[in-house]
Amino acid sequence: MTLWGGRFSSGTSDAMAALSRSVHFDWRLAPYDLVSSKAHCRNLVKSKILTAAEGKKIESALDLLRKDIAKGLVAPLSQDEDLHGVIERVLSDRIGELAGKLRAGRSRNDQIATDLRLYLRDASCELIAGLLQLIEAFIKQAKRHEESYVSGFTHLQHAQPIVFGHELAKHAHALLRDVERLEQWWLRTGVSPLGSGALAGSVLSANPEASAKLLLFETSAGNSIDAVSDRDFAAEFLFITALIGIHLSRIGEEWILWSSTEFGWAKLDDAYSTGSSIMPQKKNPDVAELARGKSGRLIGNLTSLLVTLKALPFAYNRDLQEDKEPVFDSLDTLLLLLPAISGMVESTEFNERAMSAGATAGFALATEVADYLVRKGIPFAKAHEISGRAVALAERKKVSLEELSLADYQSLNKLFQSDIFKVLTVESAVASRKSRGGTAPTALRAQLAELGTLLTSARRTNTKRTSTLAKLWGDSEGKSKRSRGATK
């Protein structure tokens, strides 16, 4: 059913109806529309637009409808325009004209803005849980490789020796920042648009603060025009998901390289690989490649909404119907990706012999030579130049830096003594970098302990928020409505 039409003398064309229809994608917001309708109903009772008996009857009908939707007993019909029309149609069938009273004091403009905020606050908890699972997988792998030596890379060239656990742990830090961004986004999204009406507020439902409290928002909107037109929260959510996608893409790129024959560092578990339809020997890193590929989709969704928003005038415009599909797609994409990537990371076996074999390749100990001279009192700029000459000498002799003789080193500078060879080992180079954030095993263990503490804290916060949101549904288990499939 449509929620408008009194001033029209004819119905819409089939083409217009097809263009206008949004119920095929906004139906997943139905449970959130029902809880916001319940809060609105209570406000109408307080405003004496509804009697207490009418309010109770409407609330009971809303509760039953939510259960029926969750069971799949209620679904949109071909003639339904949007989720709001479906809900009013079914309520009208069940409680008659009383259903029409629920529309007093609100508009689809403030309804949909409220529904989308509720949905994303709920779904963000599920997204955070997936990120925390991946962070835990990285911490576990890093602990297995606290003393596995490899070459670190810059510009995809050998740089300096590091422990492999340090390499792995860097991803946990990036992903924790994503979690922090979602936590901060949660606070900014805790503003209820309900009660803003079409754009000017409402005289019939005049206590938006009460509705905000019932819906577990921190406050109600300070400007009704901004409330119905604001999609900053959706754009920011898409930015966060796009950045998560970039982080997952970088993880994927490294796994692709490490599992290649040329690197030979990583052996992917069969459960997270695929084969070739023509080459029997192939074992392809498809999870990693899909992570890399889907990042483009996530970036595109952000761009799509930003372009939609960039020149919208005044309050609500129908363009804003285009906010939901990119948000839904980005969320669905990440919730599909994260478990697969977590499984891939946790199950990968690393070849420590192959990794350590190249730890000093490419003259990776050259910085140790420069640092040695600095400790002897030479300015680093000069020490850097002498170390570079040592590399050139080793290249001419076709040996490594540690294979040069003391005479070779003293030909470059007389301050070189036999103790130079003590620093020209992987173990010495790595162990010396023991300051906070460094690659020494001692520093890595401290880093992993700190990551574990941050992980526990983030889990505690997310569990608390999930449990808080469960109060909207009257659920004891505190699960996301989305994870149960109730919104599909």
Side-chain angles (χ1 to χ4, degrees), residues 46-78:
K46 288 182 180 179
S47 300
K48 300 189 183 305
I49 302 301
L50 292 172
T51 67
E54 288 175 327
K56 186 176 181 180
K57 187 173 182 179
I58 290 173
E59 282 198 38
S60 296
L62 291 170
D63 287 339
L64 178 60
L65 179 52
R66 180 168 66 84
K67 292 175 182 177
D68 288 345
I69 290 173
K71 294 175 184 176
L73 301 176
V74 173
L77 302 177
S78 59

Side-chain angles (χ1 to χ4, degrees), residues 314-388:
F314 305 109
Y316 183 86
N317 295 271
R318 192 62 182 273
D319 310 51
L320 292 176
Q321 180 172 301
E322 297 300 307
D323 62 351
K324 284 168 281 299
E325 287 181 285
V327 166
F328 296 159
D329 181 71
S330 289
L331 181 63
D332 292 346
T333 296
L334 285 178
L335 292 180
L336 189 65
L337 268 177
L338 284 168
I341 298 173
S342 296
M344 177 191 74
V345 169
E346 190 165 2
S347 64
T348 299
E349 294 181 9
F350 291 98
N351 186 334
E352 294 188 15
R353 180 177 294 180
M355 292 190 297
S356 63
T360 61
F363 305 104
L365 294 172
T367 305
E368 308 309 308
V369 176
D371 289 346
Y372 171 89
L373 291 172
V374 168
R375 288 193 292 270
K376 296 285 186 177
I378 294 181
F380 185 80
K382 185 176 180 181
H384 184 284
E385 189 269 336
I386 295 169
S387 180

Side-chain angles (χ1 to χ4, degrees), residues 58-320:
I58 290 173
E59 282 198 38
S60 296
L62 291 170
D63 287 339
L64 178 60
L65 179 52
R66 180 168 66 84
K67 292 175 182 177
D68 288 345
I69 290 173
K71 294 175 184 176
L73 301 176
V74 173
L77 302 177
S78 59
Q79 65 267 31
D80 288 319
E81 180 182 14
D82 57 29
L83 77 107
H84 312 295
V86 180
I87 289 172
E88 185 161 326
R89 171 177 60 78
V90 177
L91 286 177
S92 296
D93 291 342
R94 295 182 176 186
I95 60 174
E97 289 188 352
L98 181 58
K101 288 192 172 185
L102 186 60
R103 207 195 302 174
R106 72 175 180 181
S107 161
R108 286 186 295 179
N109 296 359
D110 62 342
Q111 264 185 278
I112 196 62
T114 303
D115 296 348
L116 188 56
R117 282 176 183 257
L118 285 171
Y119 171 84
L120 286 179
R121 276 163 72 86
D122 194 10
S124 70
C125 293
E126 194 174 355
L127 182 54
I128 287 174
L131 287 167
L132 295 178
Q133 181 183 6
L134 179 54
I135 291 166
E136 183 177 26
F138 273 111
I139 293 174
K140 286 180 178 178
Q141 277 285 20
K143 285 181 177 179
R144 295 172 195 155
H145 297 284
E146 291 179 348
E147 297 190 21
S148 301
Y149 300 112
V150 298
S151 176
F153 288 79
T154 62
H155 306 276
L156 209 54
Q157 304 290 320
H158 286 251
Q160 291 177 269
I162 58 172
V163 290
F164 189 56
H166 190 56
E167 186 80 74
L168 292 167
K170 73 176 189 286
H171 293 300
H173 287 276
L175 295 166
L176 272 170
R177 289 195 297 274
D178 293 327
V179 171
E180 289 172 0
R181 271 183 277 272
L182 284 167
E183 290 175 343
Q184 293 160 2
W185 169 90
W186 166 282
L187 298 175
R188 282 189 289 279
T189 311
V191 179
S192 172
L194 197 61
S196 298
L199 82 159
S202 171
V203 68
L204 299 179
S205 180
N207 192 355
E209 295 94 338
S211 295
K213 186 177 180 180
L214 287 170
L215 294 173
L216 305 178
F217 287 112
E218 280 69 40
T219 187
S220 60
N223 182 293
S224 57
I225 301 174
D226 176 63
V228 298
S229 59
D230 167 36
R231 292 301 184 273
D232 290 4
F233 70 95
E236 186 178 0
F237 185 82
L238 285 176
F239 167 74
I240 296 170
T241 58
L243 194 53
I244 293 170
I246 288 170
H247 290 152
L248 299 183
S249 178
R250 295 184 69 180
I251 292 166
E253 174 69 7
E254 287 189 351
W255 248 255
I256 291 164
L257 287 171
W258 292 342
S259 62
S260 67
T261 302
E262 286 70 23
F263 264 79
W265 287 12
K267 179 183 178 183
L268 301 180
D269 191 276
D270 287 355
Y272 296 96
S273 309
T274 64
S276 166
S277 61
I278 190 172
M279 295 171 284
Q281 83 282 8
K282 291 298 295 294
K283 188 174 184 181
N284 299 323
D286 282 24
V287 171
E289 290 176 350
L290 287 169
R292 190 175 58 182
K294 288 183 182 294
S295 64
R297 180 173 181 162
L298 296 166
I299 295 166
N301 285 336
L302 169 62
T303 304
S304 172
L305 182 58
L306 290 176
V307 173
T308 297
L309 297 176
K310 73 175 181 63
L312 295 184
F314 305 109
Y316 183 86
N317 295 271
R318 192 62 182 273
D319 310 51
L320 292 176

